[in-house]
Amino acid sequence: MIEGYVHGYHARENERLQDQAGALVELLHHDTSYPPGSTVLEAGCGVGAQTVTLARRSPGARFTSIDVSAPSLAAARRRTDAMGIANVRFRQADVFALPFAPESYDHVFVCFVLEHLSRPVEALAILHELLRPGGTMTVIEGDHGSTCFHPDSGAAHLAIRCQVELQRRAGGNALIGRQLYPLMIAAGLDAVHVSPRMVYVDASRPDLVDGVTRKTFTAMIEGVRDAAIAAGLSDPAAFDAGIRDLYRTMEPDGVFCYTFFKGVGEKRRPA
Amino acid sequence: MIEGYVHGYHARENERLQDQAGALVELLHHDTSYPPGSTVLEAGCGVGAQTVTLARRSPGARFTSIDVSAPSLAAARRRTDAMGIANVRFRQADVFALPFAPESYDHVFVCFVLEHLSRPVEALAILHELLRPGGTMTVIEGDHGSTCFHPDSGAAHLAIRCQVELQRRAGGNALIGRQLYPLMIAAGLDAVHVSPRMVYVDASRPDLVDGVTRKTFTAMIEGVRDAAIAAGLSDPAAFDAGIRDLYRTMEPDGVFCYTFFKGVGEKRRPA
């Protein structure tokens, strides 16, 4: 499912994804819950960062969480086991070759997955097939082009663009958040509603300065330093200046903004 | 108060500001209301686009709305008169030479004004002086750097940058929204809380496509065409390509996002 996953699979990346999930849970998930007895397919669960939130918020729903990576699934399973979560089964699968029958799920949930796919509409169309009529699909994606900060910095924007370009070369799209509406419509979903979720960070929220600006966003950009330099997209001095300017936004007079987009659509019932 | 007001003062601009106010009222103002009997200073009311909303939402409060432009004030007065609004008095005044005593207002409201000032912290500090201890100041500003759309377009970003540059040369700052927190802190305000207000527009909301993307944002950028070309910031072909790409975002698969920032702070009470 993940084609050339730009973030890599190492331990520090797992930590980053957990920090991200912690700080952003309310913003992204407060309005997602599924009724008791309903079946939910989570496509691309990774290390389970979203799975634990989903499963706890809807204790009566039954989740099937799939991912293409066996080590990620093992990490996700360890995490849900450690938390005593019993309403999730994990399964290794590729979204383009799914072992499920048409119309076999009440709901589908996809978070931070489309950004890594070269054929996002095709993936959504396949998942749409698995939905029962009247069921819902929820899609959440970030958009690096929404990044906005103070003090502004051309060097920081260039470092961010390295990440966007590497992700593009790996077949993905780090600017996909803003496109959720047309993508979901193109995949056949009905009654699509997209809402932006901006995480706004200033010095009055030190938890977000640390959890979002430092440990999530800046850590992610720092993580592509060597790849960006090796690919000739930047040089050490220029890249490091950009990272320094991202740290500058964490000072008492700094501000950092990033926007996620959440789309919910329905599978049309037969007329 | 307005130094080289980049938008101009003609009739089409008044219309644009009224469209803007109509479509964005809920997003920006739903959480602003003042108790009966309280006194509120609206600094930089312009043609009264925000004044009518403020006054109607807080019918028991008494508003003093000032602006440096007599024609704008006349337009604002005609508008409130036509709507039977009786709790606003208008006064021509410059924020840097205000005819009011210190601590004479319970609340201050400033909307789309700081972006036009070369000394925004000084203006806020002067307004802060006019507040009674425990009173609040509300500041709302847009940020053109927050603009994000699909399909993305370098030409459209360049046209937007012309507007930003012209406003900068006129002494203003079209990227000021993200800075509200540090500006309000620097002006001496306490307990400052800033919240982003993103207007997200896709084809499921044709009222916003028309009211925000077309009549507010794109009209504003189109409005600086001649000035941008005269200043050598663009040429007709390049500028018009940018405008065409902004119109492209109004198609059924297009998306447009713009973020306003709203800050509320308090005047500290003596210890």
Side-chain angles (χ1 to χ4, degrees):
Chain A
M1 179 162 195
I2 306 293
E3 311 155 29
Y5 190 57
V6 71
H7 304 312
Y9 284 108
H10 46 77
R12 192 186 172 194
E13 173 64 10
N14 286 3
E15 199 183 306
R16 187 185 73 80
L17 290 172
Q18 302 298 352
D19 283 332
Q20 176 171 308
L24 302 176
V25 156
E26 265 305 293
L27 184 71
L28 300 183
H29 302 300
H30 71 89
D31 50 356
T32 295
S33 68
Y34 298 106
S38 62
T39 55
V40 185
L41 176 66
E42 183 193 14
C45 65
V47 298
Q50 319 302 324
T51 312
V52 295
T53 301
L54 280 180
R56 280 179 151 181
R57 292 190 62 88
S58 302
R62 286 173 290 131
F63 293 87
T64 302
S65 294
I66 64 162
D67 202 273
V68 72
S69 158
S72 291
L73 283 171
R77 192 177 282 114
R78 280 195 300 275
R79 189 164 161 81
T80 50
D81 285 352
M83 298 173 94
I85 291 170
N87 57 334
V88 182
R89 62 170 186 157
F90 291 98
R91 188 150 174 182
Q92 189 176 0
D94 185 311
V95 76
F96 292 108
L98 288 173
F100 305 117
E103 306 194 356
S104 56
Y105 282 94
D106 296 316
H107 305 283
V108 169
F109 180 89
V110 190
C111 183
F112 306 151
V113 171
L114 297 187
E115 60 163 327
H116 300 295
L117 303 181
S118 59
R119 294 173 289 158
V121 171
E122 199 174 322
L124 290 179
I126 288 168
L127 294 168
H128 181 240
E129 285 289 303
L130 300 184
L131 270 182
R132 294 207 178 99
T136 70
M137 187 184 299
T138 299
V139 186
I140 301 176
E141 294 290 341
D143 190 317
H144 294 2
S146 73
T147 313
C148 177
F149 39 84
H150 175 74
D152 206 357
S153 155
H157 283 294
L158 283 174
I160 294 166
R161 242 171 271 161
C162 290
Q163 206 280 347
V164 172
E165 176 58 19
L166 288 169
Q167 192 156 342
R168 193 190 68 76
R169 293 182 185 187
N173 180 2
L175 312 175
I176 203 167
R178 73 189 76 173
Q179 295 187 39
L180 285 192
Y181 181 82
L183 293 173
M184 293 175 77
I185 293 288
L189 285 148
D190 193 31
V192 175
H193 177 79
V194 172
S195 58
R197 312 283 166 117
M198 179 182 281
V199 53
Y200 164 85
V201 183
D202 64 32
S204 69
R205 290 292 307 269
D207 56 326
L208 293 179
V209 173
D210 190 56
V212 174
T213 315
R214 178 177 290 110
K215 290 184 179 158
T216 300
F217 189 79
T218 303
M220 174 185 65
I221 302 300
E222 277 186 296
V224 303
R225 179 181 188 277
D226 295 349
I229 293 166
L233 298 174
S234 189
D235 60 71
F239 194 90
D240 294 343
I243 297 298
R244 202 164 52 236
D245 287 351
L246 286 175
Y247 276 96
R248 174 66 185 81
T249 71
M250 304 172 206
E251 298 294 312
D253 65 345
V255 173
F256 179 85
C257 308
Y258 184 92
T259 303
F260 300 90
F261 294 82
K262 181 172 186 172
V264 180
E266 286 179 24
K267 177 151 185 169
R268 200 186 305 265
R269 296 176 200 270
Chain B
M1 181 161 194
I2 305 293
E3 311 156 29
Y5 190 56
V6 72
H7 304 312
Y9 283 109
H10 46 79
R12 192 184 171 195
E13 172 64 10
N14 285 4
E15 199 183 305
R16 187 185 73 81
L17 290 172
Q18 302 297 353
D19 283 333
Q20 176 170 309
L24 303 176
V25 156
E26 264 305 294
L27 184 71
L28 300 182
H29 301 301
H30 72 89
D31 51 355
T32 294
S33 68
Y34 298 107
S38 62
T39 56
V40 185
L41 177 65
E42 183 193 15
C45 65
V47 298
Q50 319 302 323
T51 311
V52 295
T53 302
L54 280 180
R56 281 180 150 181
R57 291 189 62 89
S58 302
R62 286 174 289 131
F63 293 87
T64 302
S65 295
I66 64 162
D67 202 273
V68 73
S69 158
S72 291
L73 283 171
R77 191 178 283 113
R78 279 194 301 275
R79 188 163 162 80
T80 51
D81 285 352
M83 298 172 93
I85 291 170
N87 57 333
V88 182
R89 61 170 187 157
F90 292 98
R91 189 152 174 181
Q92 189 175 2
D94 186 311
V95 76
F96 292 108
L98 287 173
F100 306 117
E103 305 194 355
S104 55
Y105 282 94
D106 296 317
H107 305 284
V108 168
F109 180 89
V110 190
C111 183
F112 306 150
V113 171
L114 298 188
E115 60 163 326
H116 300 295
L117 304 180
S118 59
R119 294 172 289 156
V121 171
E122 198 174 323
L124 290 179
I126 287 168
L127 294 167
H128 181 239
E129 285 290 303
L130 300 183
L131 270 182
R132 294 206 178 99
T136 70
M137 187 184 299
T138 299
V139 186
I140 301 176
E141 294 290 341
D143 191 315
H144 293 2
S146 73
T147 313
C148 178
F149 39 84
H150 175 74
D152 206 357
S153 154
H157 282 294
L158 284 174
I160 295 166
R161 242 171 272 161
C162 289
Q163 205 280 346
V164 172
E165 176 59 18
L166 288 169
Q167 191 156 341
R168 193 191 67 76
R169 292 182 185 186
N173 180 1
L175 312 175
I176 203 168
R178 73 189 77 172
Q179 296 187 39
L180 285 192
Y181 181 83
L183 293 172
M184 293 175 76
I185 294 287
L189 285 148
D190 194 30
V192 175
H193 177 77
V194 172
S195 58
R197 312 283 166 117
M198 179 183 281
V199 53
Y200 164 85
V201 183
D202 64 33
S204 69
R205 290 293 306 270
D207 56 326
L208 294 179
V209 173
D210 189 57
V212 174
T213 314
R214 177 177 290 111
K215 290 185 179 158
T216 300
F217 189 80
T218 303
M220 175 184 65
I221 302 301
E222 278 186 295
V224 303
R225 180 182 188 277
D226 295 349
I229 293 165
L233 297 174
S234 189
D235 59 72
F239 195 90
D240 294 343
I243 297 298
R244 201 164 51 236
D245 287 352
L246 286 175
Y247 277 96
R248 175 65 185 83
T249 71
M250 304 172 206
E251 297 294 313
D253 65 344
V255 173
F256 179 85
C257 308
Y258 184 92
T259 303
F260 299 91
F261 293 83
K262 181 171 186 172
V264 180
E266 286 179 23
K267 178 152 184 169
R268 201 186 304 268
R269 296 175 200 271

